[in-house]
Amino acid sequence: MTFFCNSAPRFDSKQLQVELDSMTEEEKQQCARDIYGKEKTHVKESPAFNRDALHQLEEKINHVEEKEAFEMAQLICPEYVNSVEFRLMFLRSEQFDIPKAANKIVKYWNRKVVLFGPDRAFRKIRIEDFENEQDQEVLNQVGIRALPGLDEGGRGMVMTIRAYWPRTPGSGNSMVRLLWYMLHAALENEEAQKNGIVGLGVNTLSVNAYSSYTGKISRLIWRDLRNVLPVRIQAYHQLSARELFKSIFEMLMFSLGPRLRARFRSYHIDPQFFADVLEPFGISAANIPVEFGGDLEFDPEEWIEKRRIIDARAAEGTADS
């Protein structure tokens, strides 16, 4: 039985049009640059600039309230939470808006403890953290993927494939943990931190196959993307069945928030042509899986094993430092 939650927050097409019409010309031009990714628009950095920003960030964090999890991280993993590399991710995600970056770091640790538990929260996320049965099922399906390489704008790419998402209650946190892992994997490339991430969604489920629980997982994911994770989503392209898109449009628009609503594009085409429609936006077929018209051969088991090796080396480096 398929059903949609009537109480879910919504944002309708009239509200969207009012929002788009209120944008200034400069905002519209910036939006177009973000969608097409033909030029890099990140903040220009230098060693002196970064040092000053990091100093201001430390001062601003000191004034943020309700940061018990952050303070615990300071005690348990100071080399991680205080590292330049870790803090720069948050500054870059907010275009060096110091107050926003400070608040996001505190929210990050609060959320990470809830999501991963105190035993796993105070270190880098690893494949081995997916240890229970639901986590393993979600990981093996790889319904969220950090795609290899960068697009023409130097941006990372993360793809969600709804057909591989679990549709049974109880697996929501496992999916969100997978999102966290994949985004951190994408952000290992410093260019992706600076230039942002492009989201690619494939949602070819029929209306009958889509459940309110699938929508709940989506809302959890977008909440963390917008408010917690050290990432800046520059654009979002979604391939979806037309009838399903009509059904979920208002809920999806609410989840995206005002910035991404203007940078969202939807396509109702055969999945094998997805790579073709993405090419004008600076996304090469070499980065898109074969099943969606690209050239990328993706083997989940091989990818997972490669990540185990990467994680183990990173853990060894942390232990040696």
Side-chain angles (χ1 to χ4, degrees):
M1 178 179 177
T2 299
F3 57 95
F4 295 91
C5 180
N6 291 326
S7 63
R10 296 168 186 267
F11 195 90
D12 63 31
S13 57
K14 291 182 179 179
Q15 291 172 294
L16 176 61
Q17 193 57 55
V18 169
E19 195 171 75
L20 295 175
D21 290 343
S22 68
M23 294 173 65
T24 66
E25 191 59 36
E26 182 180 350
E27 288 172 335
K28 291 176 182 177
Q29 291 176 4
Q30 181 60 57
C31 183
R33 287 193 291 270
D34 290 343
I35 292 171
Y36 283 91
K38 298 298 185 181
E39 56 184 282
K40 299 180 180 181
T41 59
H42 63 77
V43 173
K44 303 301 180 185
E45 299 179 29
S46 69
F49 176 85
N50 286 356
R51 281 195 302 272
D52 182 60
L54 289 164
H55 176 71
Q56 292 183 55
L57 179 65
E58 177 67 24
E59 291 187 339
K60 188 61 66 174
I61 289 174
N62 290 335
H63 291 90
V64 177
E65 298 180 351
E66 298 182 8
K67 53 176 184 286
E68 182 179 344
F70 172 81
E71 290 171 343
M72 186 66 70
Q74 292 271 27
L75 294 173
I76 297 175
C77 56
E79 71 290 340
Y80 180 40
V81 68
N82 295 326
S83 70
V84 170
E85 293 78 14
F86 178 78
R87 295 194 171 198
L88 278 176
M89 284 198 303
F90 289 87
L91 286 166
R92 288 165 176 157
S93 74
E94 295 297 339
Q95 295 282 63
F96 285 84
D97 184 314
I98 307 296
K100 286 184 178 180
N103 281 305
K104 183 177 275 191
I105 283 181
V106 171
K107 289 179 180 178
Y108 173 93
W109 286 106
N110 289 339
R111 177 69 172 135
K112 192 177 183 185
V113 170
V114 171
L115 192 59
F116 288 90
D119 293 338
R120 295 177 289 172
F122 299 109
R123 56 170 171 75
K124 290 184 178 180
I125 308 167
R126 305 169 188 164
I127 282 284
E128 67 183 43
D129 291 333
F130 295 83
E131 55 189 11
N132 64 44
E133 185 176 339
Q134 285 184 330
D135 282 354
Q136 282 291 318
E137 180 184 356
V138 163
L139 177 63
N140 292 334
Q141 289 291 332
V142 199
I144 303 175
R145 304 176 183 178
L147 300 177
L150 302 169
D151 74 354
E152 288 183 18
R155 305 176 298 184
M157 294 159 287
V158 172
M159 174 175 277
T160 63
I161 307 172
R162 295 288 184 91
Y164 300 154
W165 287 22
R167 290 189 286 278
T168 54
S171 53
N173 281 339
S174 295
M175 283 301 300
V176 179
R177 282 192 284 270
L178 180 63
L179 169 77
W180 276 59
Y181 182 82
M182 290 297 178
L183 278 174
H184 281 79
L187 294 172
E188 288 170 0
N189 190 314
E190 193 173 285
E191 287 300 300
Q193 296 178 27
K194 293 179 178 179
N195 299 308
I197 298 288
V198 179
L200 306 174
V202 179
N203 194 359
T204 53
L205 296 174
S206 67
V207 175
N208 289 332
Y210 192 93
S211 70
S212 63
Y213 190 69
T214 308
K216 180 181 178 181
I217 294 174
S218 181
R219 290 192 294 275
L220 289 172
I221 283 173
W222 282 111
R223 182 189 65 183
D224 280 8
L225 281 171
R226 290 174 54 193
N227 303 315
V228 179
L229 287 159
V231 62
R232 188 173 72 260
I233 305 296
Q234 290 292 78
Y236 186 64
H237 301 271
Q238 177 166 285
L239 170 67
S240 60
R242 187 178 298 275
E243 291 306 312
L244 175 62
F245 183 71
K246 288 180 181 178
S247 301
I248 66 172
F249 172 80
E250 293 182 0
M251 290 181 288
L252 175 62
M253 288 299 101
F254 181 86
S255 296
L256 292 179
R259 182 179 175 278
L260 265 180
R261 281 194 284 266
R263 290 160 173 79
F264 172 82
R265 295 294 180 270
S266 182
Y267 314 95
H268 313 295
I269 57 174
D270 190 297
Q272 66 178 326
F273 298 122
F274 196 24
D276 293 337
V277 300
L278 293 173
E279 186 176 3
F281 299 97
I283 300 170
S284 169
N287 303 118
I288 303 301
V290 171
E291 59 194 300
F292 305 117
D295 303 322
L296 176 65
E297 298 280 357
F298 184 84
D299 182 327
E301 291 184 5
E302 180 181 335
W303 186 90
I304 289 170
E305 286 309 308
K306 286 182 178 178
R307 288 304 309 181
R308 288 190 195 280
I309 295 171
I310 292 171
D311 291 349
R313 288 174 178 169
E316 290 172 2
T318 302
D320 294 339
S321 61

